[in-house]
Amino acid sequence: MRILISNDDGYLAPGINALAAALAPIADIVVVAPDSNRSGASNSLSLDRPLSVQQAANGFYFVNGTPTDCVHVALTGILDFVPDLVVSGINNGPNMGDDTLYSGTVAAATEGYLFGIPAIAFSQGTYGWEHIDDAARHARDIVERYFAALPRPYLLNVNIPNRPYEQLTSVVATRLGRRHQAEPVIKAKDPRGKDIYWIGPPGATKDAGEGTDFHACAHGLTSITPLQIDLTHKTQLDALSKALA
Ligand code: MN
């Protein structure tokens, strides 16, 4: 098996290093990741400048671009083969509910999926890398268990609780939860007195009920949500068609 690995926390992040180390024994791996932390990059492509690709001493490729740039460049410019699987992560912190729209971790996997390749995004339920090697070993189990089990291509969003490996025993299929609207920006002054704004934290969970990713992870279960890309609002399409008729 040949696996392309990317992330949004950058090629030096503990999460991608743990994931690469865990997958190396079961696959030929290629790592192509951003040169710095690009969390929140969503599916952005850099169209206003060229991208450069460098290779670190450990063989990882790093790119001065977004997660989507990395997978796009890897699939169309670096690799001379089509990988069997694209994996992204392991992200520092959760990517659940509405967060998945902003996530660079999910976006890297999505780019593989858009090229018709099975893809899995991995995130840890809590920030801070606690038990990251356990999460990576668990991620390898998931790849081994489910890689061939689903119709292709698929796009899976996986959130793993920060727990010792022995306690990562339950994996459940979930739907995305929902959040309330985000907290406001945080206004401050730069050293020259000019107004600046920090993007504030995400909103509190609104739908975190049973069956959601939020609910599973909060109860110590590994959450897997199958994602799709078609944003069409099917029922409104009918209403719109009638309104325009
Ligand atoms: Mn991140």
Side-chain angles (χ1 to χ4, degrees):
M1 176 158 47
R2 294 187 284 202
I3 301 179
L4 172 63
I5 303 174
S6 193
N7 76 344
D8 74 356
D9 296 328
Y11 77 106
L12 294 173
I16 199 168
N17 280 273
L19 185 59
L23 293 175
I26 64 161
D28 294 329
I29 60 160
V30 179
V31 175
V32 184
D35 62 356
S36 60
N37 191 331
R38 304 302 300 267
S39 295
S42 190
N43 299 90
S44 53
L45 282 169
S46 300
L47 302 177
D48 57 344
R49 58 187 174 82
L51 299 166
S52 65
V53 179
Q54 299 180 73
Q55 197 166 19
N58 66 355
F60 288 11
Y61 293 96
F62 58 99
V63 181
N64 60 339
T66 65
T68 301
D69 288 333
C70 291
V71 173
H72 194 93
V73 168
L75 294 179
T76 65
I78 300 175
L79 304 180
D80 57 5
F81 59 88
V82 179
D84 301 298
L85 180 68
V86 173
V87 300
S88 178
I90 297 171
N91 188 58
N92 185 14
N95 278 304
M96 298 189 273
D98 304 324
D99 308 346
T100 51
L101 282 175
Y102 300 98
S103 168
T105 305
V106 174
T110 301
E111 189 67 4
Y113 176 74
L114 290 173
F115 276 84
I117 304 166
I120 310 176
F122 289 105
S123 302
Q124 268 195 307
T126 308
Y127 291 95
W129 306 120
E130 193 187 3
H131 301 302
I132 186 63
D133 290 324
D134 302 88
R137 197 173 151 200
H138 184 58
R140 179 179 64 201
D141 292 345
I142 287 171
V143 168
E144 289 188 304
R145 228 178 283 160
Y146 304 113
F147 168 69
L150 296 168
R152 296 167 182 234
Y154 49 80
L155 174 59
L156 304 181
N157 185 44
V158 181
N159 284 273
I160 303 170
N162 299 54
R163 292 181 157 210
Y165 180 76
E166 294 69 29
Q167 294 175 28
L168 293 170
T169 50
S170 296
V171 179
V172 292
T174 57
R175 62 183 166 85
L176 297 180
R178 294 297 311 276
R179 285 189 184 280
H180 289 284
Q181 69 179 62
E183 299 293 321
V185 292
I186 297 149
K187 189 175 176 182
K189 297 277 187 194
D190 79 3
R192 282 161 291 280
K194 190 170 171 263
D195 288 337
I196 55 172
Y197 301 87
W198 283 98
I199 298 294
T205 54
K206 180 163 67 176
D207 174 10
E210 200 158 352
T212 66
D213 45 6
F214 289 123
H215 187 274
C217 228
H219 289 79
L221 313 176
T222 294
S223 162
I224 305 186
T225 308
L227 301 180
Q228 62 181 355
I229 301 306
D230 184 353
L231 296 175
T232 310
H233 194 311
K234 300 268 172 19
T235 48
Q236 267 187 10
L237 178 61
D238 292 341
L240 179 65
S241 299
K242 283 188 186 115
L244 296 179

